[in-house]
Amino acid sequence: MPQRSKVLLLSAYNTPSHNSWCTGLVDNFPQFNWEFLQLTPRFFSWRIRGNPLSFIHSYTDKLIQDYDLIIATSMVDLATLCGLFPNLARCRKIVYFHENQFAYPQPPNTPVRLEPLMVNLYSALAADLIVFNTEFNRQSFFSGVSDFMNKMPDHTPLDYIESIKIKTQVLPVPLKQLKTKPQIEKIPNSIIWNHRWEYDKNPEAFFGACKILKQRGKDFKLIVMGQQFRQSPDVFNQAKGLFAENIICWGEQSTHDYCSWLTKGEFVISTAIHEFQGLAVMEAVQHGAIPIIPNRLSYPEIFPTEYLYTGDEVKLADHMERLFTSKQKPAAPNIDDYTWDTLRDEYLSLIKG
């Protein structure tokens, strides 16, 4: 029996979405011999700059082994790891960009952080192949690199950017295949908001639009879920009181309950100021929710124009009101093209090279 190819899979900031993608690779391709090394998603600044040291601390016995392929998320400092472990430098190397730090919005009142940008850039330079989950992600990365390097004082040759571009491709993060299509009747005028409870998802605009609807006397229900943190934007506490009569689900849910509410919700909304693919919206749509999403970021390349809105929270409220009162609401779009069943062969070609 031929020996199975050995693949080193590295995730330096293993958020739930990154972990789901990594375990999806392992589960869908058992013909390869996987070694999955991960670091917990906390202490972001230290994790993205110090992850080689953290990997050494926890996994030296794994890193000194020989592999046929390395697949690393973009937060892995791949260039440093290859310098510390020459055996890794000899492997074929793929870096997958779920996001890029050049287009990631800075938290309010914080200076630009150099380290995340440089880790992304050095890892791209060290890779043999760079994969982005959307075209928006790819374009914003190269636009960000160019803008950033043009601000540096000297020794910033930009011709290397072209050498990176020629080794890139786009391949989305796949959705898990649903065993059966949901058949549960939707709760009328129910709105799902299922994003991380952080500033970059712009919850202020979402709740602002909901407030406008409430002032207009419109009846709606709120299903507010998503990953929570020790510190979340103040607007969530305010909204919990303001919309007490509208809320039918609030807070982080178990996987079972989360999927159940996705099946019950009629609409799913995003007001994000950054989104590199929009998996939360895609999951809800997969369960039959009608998306109401901004006409920007990665959304226009994934969803038809009839689901996109343009403008501020007043325009969003207008769009929501039209859908609430429409006699012929649009059906949820089909996104089967983004499932593992559809994308498996493309991923297999990626791994086999």
Side-chain angles (χ1 to χ4, degrees), residues 70-95:
I70 299 172
I71 302 178
T73 64
S74 59
M75 294 189 189
V76 174
D77 188 346
L78 185 61
T80 297
L81 278 175
C82 287
L84 294 169
F85 295 90
N87 58 302
L88 301 183
R90 293 189 290 268
C91 298
R92 178 169 165 261
K93 295 172 284 294
I94 298 173
V95 174

Side-chain angles (χ1 to χ4, degrees), residues 47-76:
R47 189 66 77 237
I48 199 165
R49 189 64 190 96
N51 66 78
L53 293 174
S54 300
F55 277 123
I56 289 172
H57 177 265
S58 300
Y59 301 114
T60 294
D61 60 327
K62 307 293 185 183
L63 294 169
I64 61 175
Q65 297 179 23
D66 291 327
Y67 297 91
D68 300 295
L69 171 66
I70 299 172
I71 302 178
T73 64
S74 59
M75 294 189 189
V76 174

Side-chain angles (χ1 to χ4, degrees), residues 197 207 210-211 214 220 222 224 233-250:
W197 290 27
F207 289 118
C210 291
K211 185 176 180 180
K214 194 174 181 70
F220 59 91
L222 288 178
V224 180
D234 293 337
V235 70
F236 285 97
N237 286 331
Q238 300 163 9
K240 190 174 184 181
L242 180 62
F243 301 107
E245 295 179 355
N246 306 87
I247 294 169
I248 56 176
C249 175
W250 186 268

